[in-house]
Amino acid sequence: MSLDAKPALALQDVSKSFAGFRAVEDVSFSVAQGAIVALIGPNGAGKTTTFNLINGQLRPDRGRVMVGGDDMTGRGPKALWHHGVARTFQITATFSSMTVAENIAVALLPVAASPWSARRMPTRDDKRVHSLARDVGLTNLMDRVAGTLAYGDLKRVELAIALASEPRLLLMDEPTAGMAAAEREALMALAVGAARERKAAILFTEHDMGVVFRHAERVIVMSAGRVIAEGAPDHIREHPAVREVYLGRTKAPRNASHQTGTEPRQP
């Protein structure tokens, strides 16, 4: 995929309501190509709705979603995928009855109008399958059935599946939820390393502030459906409004690993 100097993502005054409830209101921000950006906020802040608007699961009531400089507002997930947007979910989405290699191979299949053909299916020996497995540390698990894997390994399979399309923008929704501390750090390090190697951007939501402050180059903070602050991690750590609504009124320690519950899914 040819990458250019235009932002990987730009939201322009995006809003979304459900039965009169304003889940997202006049949200504007951009993610530069190759940037690692965290989107944080308390439960119900509107993060998941924002992700669903970016990825095409929802259409905004107003505003625009720009990807690589092109208006993708209201386009579906398939169109966004073709345009270089990949996503991982809080709950892992893999083929549980397939091996790790087969999961990655399926992700490498081109999306076409004609039915899938076994002749076009990459094999476990395909160099692309091996390259993706290596990038996420799964080389020694290629023949394991996904349904038998530990949760942390499943998260890495999902990451490999997302990277298979060579995205310009990787959306990661609560990537470390339910993982032990060491696993959280390892997964984010793999994701950031793979993205930088591909010059792709990452936008991720996360409740673990240790993960946010160690890996994000820029942090966007939402509360009650609006962006209330954005900037470098040090700026966000000291921002009075952020400390009040999300981090707490006391100064957050530099290597904090504060966690809260996950944000409920918007309808």
Side-chain angles (χ1 to χ4, degrees), residues 21-233:
F21 171 72
R22 295 181 179 179
V24 172
E25 187 170 7
D26 297 326
V27 167
S28 297
F29 63 80
S30 63
V31 178
Q33 193 62 56
I36 311 298
V37 180
L39 179 65
I40 68 170
N43 291 346
K47 306 184 299 295
T48 294
T49 298
T50 299
F51 260 45
N52 288 339
L53 291 166
I54 295 169
N55 198 48
Q57 272 108 339
L58 295 173
R59 184 182 182 90
D61 298 331
R62 63 177 183 272
R64 295 202 297 171
V65 178
M66 310 292 292
V67 177
D70 297 321
D71 191 345
M72 299 298 290
T73 309
R75 303 291 298 275
K78 180 178 176 179
L80 270 295
W81 181 86
H82 276 295
H83 211 65
V85 179
R87 180 175 179 178
T88 67
F89 293 84
Q90 182 177 344
I91 300 173
T92 55
T94 61
F95 298 102
S96 61
S97 63
M98 291 184 176
T99 66
V100 169
E102 288 169 341
N103 268 272
I104 298 172
V106 167
L108 287 166
L109 280 171
V111 176
S114 59
W116 290 355
S117 167
R119 292 192 301 272
R120 298 168 56 198
M121 179 77 167
T123 69
R124 74 176 307 284
D125 297 321
D126 189 297
K127 65 180 181 180
R128 296 170 298 169
V129 174
H130 273 273
S131 177
L132 283 163
R134 182 182 63 248
D135 287 348
V136 298
L138 289 171
T139 302
N140 63 331
L141 296 175
M142 293 275 280
D143 295 319
R144 285 281 300 277
V145 174
T148 68
L149 295 177
Y151 187 67
D153 294 329
L154 277 176
K155 285 284 191 177
R156 288 188 284 161
V157 174
E158 188 183 37
L159 176 58
I161 290 171
L163 293 172
S165 63
E166 294 293 329
R168 76 172 79 210
L169 173 66
L170 175 59
L171 303 174
M172 302 184 74
D173 190 1
E174 294 287 345
T176 72
M179 301 176 74
E183 289 181 319
R184 292 197 294 267
E185 288 300 318
L187 181 71
M188 282 308 302
L190 284 170
V192 169
R196 285 178 174 157
E197 181 180 341
R198 292 162 172 78
K199 297 181 173 59
I202 292 179
L203 177 66
F204 69 101
T205 64
E206 184 56 64
H207 281 288
D208 186 324
M209 292 298 96
V211 169
V212 169
F213 290 137
R214 279 190 289 273
H215 293 283
E217 300 164 346
R218 188 163 134 262
V219 182
I220 300 165
V221 188
M222 292 185 68
S223 179
R226 290 179 172 270
V227 172
I228 62 168
E230 61 179 295

